[in-house]
C-alpha cells in the first residue's frame, strides 16, 4: 500500500523522497522514524511504496528494503505519451512504483510515472547523503553571465 506523508498535500514544490518498504520490516519502520526525528517538518514530501504489492518491485527490492530515493526530475510529457519507460539510477523501472502510488494517493496518474529516482541509501538511513540531496535539490541555477553588470 502506498502512502503519502501529510506534507505531500501541502507543498508540491518540496523535494520528494520515495521509500520502498515492506510491511512488518523493522528496518523500514526505523528509517521512517529517523526521517521524522532528524528533519524539520515540511523539509520534504515522503511517498511510501510497499514492494509486496507489485511483482516487479518485489523482485527489484526484495532483500534491499528499505530503499530511500530522491525524485530528481520528471521526463517530458511527450516521453510519457510515447510509452517510453523511466529508469531509476539503479536501473529499475520507476513506472511500476507510480501505478501503486497514484492509485492510493488519488493524484495525477503521471506524477511519478516518468520520475528519475536517485537512490540515497538502503537498509539504514545515510543522514549525510539525504542532507546533501535535499540541500542540492533547491540550489539556484548558475547565472547566465558571470560578468558583473555596471550601470
Amino acid at each position: 500500500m502506498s502512502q503519502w506523508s501529510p506534507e505531500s498535500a501541502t507543498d508540491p514544490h518540496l523535494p520528494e523522497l520515495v521509500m520502498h518498504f515492506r510491511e512488518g520490516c523493522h528496518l523500514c519502520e526505523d528509517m521512517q522514524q529517523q526521517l521524522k526525528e532528524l528533519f524539520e517538518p515540511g523539509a520534504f514530501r515522503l511517498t511510501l511504496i510497499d514492494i509486496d504489492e507489485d511483482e516487479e518491485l518485489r523482485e527489484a527490492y526484495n532483500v534491499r528494503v528499505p530503499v530511500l530515493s530522491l525524485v530528481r526530475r520528471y521526463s517530458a510529457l511527450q516521453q510519457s505519451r510515447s510509452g517510453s519507460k523511466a529508469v531509476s539510477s539503479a536501473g529499475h523501472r520507476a513506472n511500476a512504483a507510480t501505478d501503486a502510488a497514484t492509485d492510493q494517493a488519488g493524484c495525477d496518474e503521471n506524477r511519478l510515472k516518468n520520475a528519475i529516482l536517485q537512490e540515497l541509501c538502503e537498509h539504514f538511513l545515510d543522514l549525510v547523503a539525504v542532507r546533501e540531496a535535499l540541500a542540492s535539490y533547491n540550489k539556484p541555477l548558475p547565472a547566465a553571465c558571470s560578468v558583473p553588470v555596471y550601470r
Side-chain angles (χ1 to χ4, degrees), residues 1-4 17-32 35 46-54 57-58 60-69 97 100-101 104 121-123:
M1 172 173 165
S2 301
Q3 306 167 0
W4 286 45
L17 297 176
V18 174
M19 187 170 102
H20 290 87
F21 79 105
R22 170 176 277 135
E23 286 292 331
C25 167
H26 72 281
L27 292 176
C28 300
E29 294 165 1
D30 290 348
M31 184 179 287
Q32 190 175 1
L35 286 169
L46 178 63
T47 300
L48 302 174
I49 300 175
D50 186 343
I51 66 163
D52 289 327
E53 292 188 359
D54 182 283
L57 291 175
R58 189 172 38 253
Y61 294 102
N62 189 34
V63 296
R64 298 180 60 213
V65 293
V67 176
L68 187 67
S69 304
Q104 291 296 323
C121 52
E122 65 181 64
H123 299 299

Side-chain angles (χ1 to χ4, degrees), residues 7-8 12 18 39 56-58 62 110 112 124 139 141:
E7 295 84 20
S8 297
V18 174
F39 291 94
E56 280 187 53
L57 291 175
R58 189 172 38 253
N62 189 34
N110 294 321
L112 284 176
F124 305 100
K139 277 190 178 175
L141 296 173

